[in-house]
Amino acid sequence: MRLAFISDIHANLPALEAVLADLDRQKPDAVYCLGDLVSYAPWPNEVVQLIRQHRIPTLMGNHDFTLSQLREGEALPTVPPDPKMGRSVVTAGAQSLAFTHGLLGNQERGFLGSLPRHIRLEFDTADGRSDVLMVHGSPGSLNEYLLEDRTEADILSVMDQAGADILLFGHSHLPYHRQLPGRSPDKPAYRHAINTGSVGKPKDGDPRAGYVLIDWIGGEPRVTLIRVAYDVERAARAIEESPLPDEFADRLRRAY
């Protein structure tokens, strides 16, 4: 069994197209998306449409949630005035939401609003049943970061509460894999916390699109963090030619 996990596409169509082409080569049995299809780049509708065309089971990300709650033509909440500057300051993130809100079609917005917050799978392996849980940020929140520097006890507590032997998540755009002790005699010997990284907006200094493959060999999963080169300049130039902040193009080029 081979499964692929992608996340945090953030409206970057060239990155998604490159990853889907690589998945055609890898030939997984199934592909799952952990959310945040939109924001930060100029192709939100095209990304949603491509995910739907490929029938990829997808979770809701925090950006998906925010934009799904707004109706077409509805204004975004105003930013409180900055007391030091005496005027409202619109952050780059707010500019991105406003831009994406203006582009999103009704069908695409409705799709984002229909997405679940968790997907759970169960596998019977040679050394016991393995529970796989997919979330966007954490089991409890779309916005929580499960960063690699969290203590082992902390991560194990999160996984215990969620009943997960393999926990897959995104949100931080920082890929990693941690192998942890198992939780009971009838379970696999190890648990796994896996951040899938980001397809469309990496933040680890490597601008290539990222995703994860898991192969089940015997009782233990083999986890591979994959990177895929794509036309970063095409995406960066499209951002610069749009009303989005040029900062987003720089972030794509330098992956921060």
Side-chain angles (χ1 to χ4, degrees):
M1 171 70 73
R2 166 172 281 192
L3 300 181
F5 303 88
I6 65 177
S7 189
D8 295 279
I9 301 164
H10 285 296
N12 188 337
L13 183 63
L16 177 59
E17 290 173 336
V19 165
L20 291 175
D22 195 66
L23 288 170
D24 283 343
R25 182 178 64 83
Q26 298 281 6
K27 301 189 183 309
D29 296 289
V31 180
Y32 295 89
C33 178
L34 308 189
D36 268 1
L37 305 186
V38 296
S39 296
Y40 297 119
W43 296 282
N45 293 313
E46 293 86 346
V47 163
V48 171
Q49 291 160 11
L50 196 53
I51 288 290
R52 297 186 73 180
Q53 288 168 16
H54 282 76
R55 300 182 180 276
I56 296 173
T58 300
L59 294 178
M60 178 182 285
N62 54 301
H63 287 264
D64 306 324
F65 172 76
T66 298
L67 286 155
S68 71
Q69 300 305 297
L70 297 169
R71 297 181 181 179
E72 187 177 8
E74 181 182 354
L76 287 165
T78 57
V79 180
D82 185 322
K84 294 182 180 179
M85 301 182 68
R87 59 181 175 84
S88 294
V89 176
V90 180
T91 65
Q95 291 179 62
S96 173
L97 287 172
F99 173 74
T100 305
H101 176 43
L103 284 181
L104 267 179
N106 287 333
Q107 288 189 347
E108 290 76 16
R109 194 186 307 273
F111 176 75
L112 296 179
S114 73
L115 297 173
R117 295 191 178 218
H118 305 90
I119 295 176
R120 187 181 291 272
L121 305 174
E122 295 181 359
F123 290 94
D124 287 321
T125 65
D127 55 353
R129 192 185 76 186
S130 184
D131 293 295
V132 179
L133 179 64
M134 291 167 253
V135 299
H136 178 69
S138 76
S141 172
L142 296 176
N143 290 293
E144 182 179 7
Y145 292 99
L146 296 179
L147 298 175
E148 191 171 8
D149 62 2
R150 297 276 284 261
T151 67
E152 180 176 290
D154 192 12
I155 293 293
L156 287 173
S157 176
V158 170
M159 296 179 73
D160 282 339
Q161 291 179 40
D165 301 302
I166 299 175
L167 181 64
L168 291 127
F169 47 94
H171 188 47
S172 72
H173 305 198
L174 297 168
Y176 70 86
H177 169 217
R178 289 179 70 174
Q179 185 169 284
L180 304 157
R183 59 187 169 121
S184 65
D186 61 339
K187 291 287 187 176
Y190 297 101
R191 284 182 280 183
H192 302 268
I194 305 164
N195 189 306
T196 59
S198 173
V199 169
K201 198 172 179 287
K203 294 182 179 180
D204 62 347
D206 183 343
R208 294 177 298 169
Y211 73 94
V212 163
L213 281 177
I214 299 183
D215 291 282
W216 268 265
I217 301 173
E220 274 298 311
R222 184 180 69 194
V223 179
T224 308
L225 305 178
I226 305 288
R227 300 309 283 258
V228 180
Y230 76 97
D231 192 345
V232 176
E233 275 304 307
R234 177 189 166 198
R237 287 194 301 269
I239 289 171
E240 290 169 339
E241 292 166 1
S242 79
L244 289 165
D246 288 352
E247 169 193 342
F248 295 162
D250 186 57
R251 287 180 176 271
L252 281 191
R253 292 182 176 113
R254 297 199 285 150
Y256 69 95

